[in-house]
Amino acid sequence: MQVGGCWFDRERGLLIEQTSQESWHLPRAELQVLCLLVEHQGKLVSKHDLKTGDGVHTPLTDTSLARAVFKIRSFLGPQHEGLIETVKGQGYLLHSVQGGASKRLLTSQLLALPSWSLWLVFGFMLAFIVFYIRLIDHSAPTNAIQSSQIYLPSGQVIQQHLYAQSKTNNTLLFELGERLSQSLSLCSSSNWQEAYISLSHDKQVLNITLRGQKLGQSVVRNLKISDLSSPKKFIDSDWLQGVEICD
């Protein structure tokens, strides 16, 4: 079933973001809450019903319910933040998605316009795009907010670069850069020569790009890690063992 920009696979307990194909295996609380909201889509579901569910499992606490709704909203993304409405003192309501009907209405309205008006709108949009592109300074590359060198026991040096949209509130990004730096420094040797790290605006997705040489050829590896927990870990011993960053 479609929920915002995601597909909800109830049987497998998965919420899949359709653009990035990122999937989230819902924990018990989140799955129970989302299933009930979907079953009663467009209707208010009381806190009592959301907490008790089917009566098989232990009821959720008020804190667990609020946390589950928060995590579902976070995964759906800010563009769908109003999809789950909080009805103060009563419960929650999952709004019906009217995207398909809206698109059909817009299409019929466009078809009803005279052809010359469509060409006028198209010309205006094209002129705006050209004007906007010319305003962009393509000569200035994006600069890293922090660059450092990682020294391996073999004497090899790996360059690490951290990127962020803002120069403030990057404490978590710096901590993650330090964790990766410490992990790489324990490698006796590595195929990687450069590491590029960035954190999404909502601080839920960590992107790492590794560049290096292997068997005389250039290699690039892109890693994307999602973490909806709090506090966030992203990089831990299990993850490091799985990605095999050392030779």
Side-chain angles (χ1 to χ4, degrees), residues 1-9 14-19 22 72 75-77 80 83:
M1 176 180 179
Q2 184 82 17
V3 180
C6 299
W7 180 258
F8 178 40
D9 187 335
L14 288 176
L15 197 57
I16 305 169
E17 210 288 319
Q18 292 183 300
T19 302
E22 178 185 351
I72 295 170
F75 191 85
L76 292 176
H80 300 292
L83 197 60

Short mmCIF file of all heavy atoms in Angstrom, two decimals, residues 1-9 14-19 22 72 75-77 80 83:
data_model
loop_
_atom_site.label_atom_id
_atom_site.label_comp_id
_atom_site.label_asym_id
_atom_site.label_seq_id
_atom_site.Cartn_x
_atom_site.Cartn_y
_atom_site.Cartn_z
N MET A 1 0.84 -1.19 0.00
CA MET A 1 0.00 0.00 0.00
C MET A 1 0.88 1.24 0.00
O MET A 1 1.93 1.27 0.65
CB MET A 1 -0.91 0.00 1.23
CG MET A 1 -1.74 1.27 1.34
SD MET A 1 -2.80 1.27 2.78
CE MET A 1 -3.57 2.87 2.60
N GLN A 2 0.43 2.28 -0.71
CA GLN A 2 1.16 3.53 -0.79
C GLN A 2 0.92 4.35 0.48
O GLN A 2 -0.21 4.59 0.88
CB GLN A 2 0.70 4.34 -2.00
CG GLN A 2 1.47 5.63 -2.21
CD GLN A 2 2.78 5.39 -2.93
OE1 GLN A 2 2.97 4.34 -3.52
NE2 GLN A 2 3.68 6.34 -2.85
N VAL A 3 2.02 4.79 1.14
CA VAL A 3 1.94 5.68 2.29
C VAL A 3 2.91 6.82 2.04
O VAL A 3 4.12 6.65 2.18
CB VAL A 3 2.28 4.96 3.61
CG1 VAL A 3 2.18 5.92 4.78
CG2 VAL A 3 1.37 3.76 3.83
N GLY A 4 2.40 7.96 1.63
CA GLY A 4 3.28 9.06 1.26
C GLY A 4 4.13 8.67 0.06
O GLY A 4 3.62 8.21 -0.95
N GLY A 5 5.45 8.84 0.19
CA GLY A 5 6.36 8.45 -0.88
C GLY A 5 6.92 7.06 -0.67
O GLY A 5 7.92 6.68 -1.30
N CYS A 6 6.29 6.28 0.19
CA CYS A 6 6.79 4.93 0.52
C CYS A 6 5.75 3.87 0.17
O CYS A 6 4.56 4.15 0.03
CB CYS A 6 7.12 4.83 2.02
SG CYS A 6 8.41 5.96 2.57
N TRP A 7 6.24 2.63 0.04
CA TRP A 7 5.37 1.48 -0.16
C TRP A 7 5.41 0.65 1.12
O TRP A 7 6.48 0.27 1.60
CB TRP A 7 5.82 0.64 -1.34
CG TRP A 7 4.94 -0.57 -1.56
CD1 TRP A 7 5.22 -1.85 -1.21
CD2 TRP A 7 3.64 -0.58 -2.15
NE1 TRP A 7 4.17 -2.67 -1.54
CE2 TRP A 7 3.18 -1.91 -2.12
CE3 TRP A 7 2.83 0.41 -2.70
CZ2 TRP A 7 1.95 -2.29 -2.62
CZ3 TRP A 7 1.58 0.02 -3.19
CH2 TRP A 7 1.16 -1.30 -3.16
N PHE A 8 4.23 0.37 1.68
CA PHE A 8 4.13 -0.39 2.91
C PHE A 8 3.82 -1.84 2.59
O PHE A 8 2.75 -2.17 2.10
CB PHE A 8 3.05 0.21 3.80
CG PHE A 8 2.83 -0.55 5.09
CD1 PHE A 8 3.90 -1.07 5.82
CD2 PHE A 8 1.54 -0.75 5.59
CE1 PHE A 8 3.70 -1.76 7.00
CE2 PHE A 8 1.33 -1.43 6.77
CZ PHE A 8 2.42 -1.95 7.47
N ASP A 9 4.79 -2.73 2.86
CA ASP A 9 4.61 -4.16 2.67
C ASP A 9 4.26 -4.75 4.03
O ASP A 9 5.14 -5.05 4.85
CB ASP A 9 5.91 -4.79 2.12
CG ASP A 9 5.73 -6.26 1.75
OD1 ASP A 9 4.83 -6.91 2.32
OD2 ASP A 9 6.49 -6.76 0.91
N LEU A 14 7.71 -4.22 6.06
CA LEU A 14 8.70 -3.31 5.47
C LEU A 14 8.06 -2.01 5.02
O LEU A 14 6.93 -1.99 4.53
CB LEU A 14 9.37 -3.97 4.26
CG LEU A 14 10.35 -5.11 4.50
CD1 LEU A 14 10.83 -5.68 3.17
CD2 LEU A 14 11.55 -4.65 5.32
N LEU A 15 8.80 -0.92 5.20
CA LEU A 15 8.43 0.38 4.64
C LEU A 15 9.55 0.76 3.68
O LEU A 15 10.71 0.87 4.08
CB LEU A 15 8.29 1.42 5.76
CG LEU A 15 7.52 2.71 5.43
CD1 LEU A 15 6.11 2.38 4.94
CD2 LEU A 15 7.43 3.60 6.65
N ILE A 16 9.21 0.92 2.40
CA ILE A 16 10.22 1.10 1.35
C ILE A 16 10.05 2.47 0.71
O ILE A 16 8.99 2.79 0.19
CB ILE A 16 10.10 0.00 0.27
CG1 ILE A 16 10.17 -1.39 0.92
CG2 ILE A 16 11.20 0.16 -0.79
CD1 ILE A 16 9.79 -2.52 -0.01
N GLU A 17 11.12 3.29 0.78
CA GLU A 17 11.11 4.61 0.14
C GLU A 17 11.28 4.39 -1.35
O GLU A 17 12.26 3.80 -1.79
CB GLU A 17 12.26 5.46 0.69
CG GLU A 17 11.97 6.95 0.70
CD GLU A 17 12.00 7.55 -0.69
OE1 GLU A 17 12.89 7.17 -1.46
OE2 GLU A 17 11.15 8.39 -1.00
N GLN A 18 10.31 4.82 -2.16
CA GLN A 18 10.26 4.43 -3.57
C GLN A 18 11.32 5.10 -4.43
O GLN A 18 11.74 4.55 -5.44
CB GLN A 18 8.87 4.71 -4.13
CG GLN A 18 7.80 3.80 -3.51
CD GLN A 18 6.44 4.02 -4.10
OE1 GLN A 18 5.89 5.10 -4.03
NE2 GLN A 18 5.86 2.98 -4.68
N THR A 19 11.79 6.28 -4.05
CA THR A 19 12.81 6.97 -4.85
C THR A 19 14.19 6.37 -4.64
O THR A 19 14.89 6.01 -5.58
CB THR A 19 12.84 8.47 -4.51
OG1 THR A 19 11.54 9.03 -4.74
CG2 THR A 19 13.87 9.19 -5.37
N GLU A 22 15.32 2.72 -0.29
CA GLU A 22 15.77 2.42 1.07
C GLU A 22 14.62 1.75 1.82
O GLU A 22 13.48 2.20 1.78
CB GLU A 22 16.16 3.73 1.77
CG GLU A 22 16.59 3.54 3.21
CD GLU A 22 16.87 4.86 3.91
OE1 GLU A 22 16.88 5.91 3.22
OE2 GLU A 22 17.05 4.84 5.13
N ILE A 72 8.09 6.78 12.41
CA ILE A 72 7.39 6.59 11.13
C ILE A 72 7.39 7.90 10.35
O ILE A 72 7.67 7.93 9.15
CB ILE A 72 5.95 6.09 11.36
CG1 ILE A 72 5.96 4.68 11.99
CG2 ILE A 72 5.17 6.07 10.05
CD1 ILE A 72 4.61 4.21 12.47
N PHE A 75 10.81 8.62 8.84
CA PHE A 75 11.15 7.84 7.65
C PHE A 75 10.36 8.33 6.43
O PHE A 75 10.88 8.36 5.32
CB PHE A 75 10.86 6.35 7.88
CG PHE A 75 11.42 5.46 6.79
CD1 PHE A 75 12.73 5.03 6.84
CD2 PHE A 75 10.63 5.07 5.71
CE1 PHE A 75 13.26 4.22 5.84
CE2 PHE A 75 11.14 4.27 4.71
CZ PHE A 75 12.46 3.84 4.78
N LEU A 76 9.11 8.73 6.65
CA LEU A 76 8.29 9.24 5.54
C LEU A 76 8.89 10.52 4.97
O LEU A 76 8.73 10.81 3.79
CB LEU A 76 6.86 9.49 5.99
CG LEU A 76 6.04 8.24 6.36
CD1 LEU A 76 4.67 8.64 6.89
CD2 LEU A 76 5.89 7.30 5.16
N GLY A 77 9.59 11.30 5.82
CA GLY A 77 10.25 12.50 5.34
C GLY A 77 9.44 13.76 5.58
O GLY A 77 8.22 13.71 5.76
N HIS A 80 6.13 14.75 3.84
CA HIS A 80 4.89 14.05 4.19
C HIS A 80 4.63 14.13 5.69
O HIS A 80 3.96 13.27 6.26
CB HIS A 80 4.97 12.58 3.77
CG HIS A 80 5.17 12.37 2.30
ND1 HIS A 80 4.20 12.68 1.37
CD2 HIS A 80 6.25 11.92 1.60
CE1 HIS A 80 4.66 12.41 0.16
NE2 HIS A 80 5.89 11.96 0.26
N LEU A 83 1.06 13.88 6.99
CA LEU A 83 0.27 12.70 6.62
C LEU A 83 -0.35 12.04 7.85
O LEU A 83 -1.48 11.59 7.83
CB LEU A 83 1.16 11.70 5.87
CG LEU A 83 0.44 10.60 5.08
CD1 LEU A 83 -0.46 11.21 4.01
CD2 LEU A 83 1.46 9.66 4.43
#
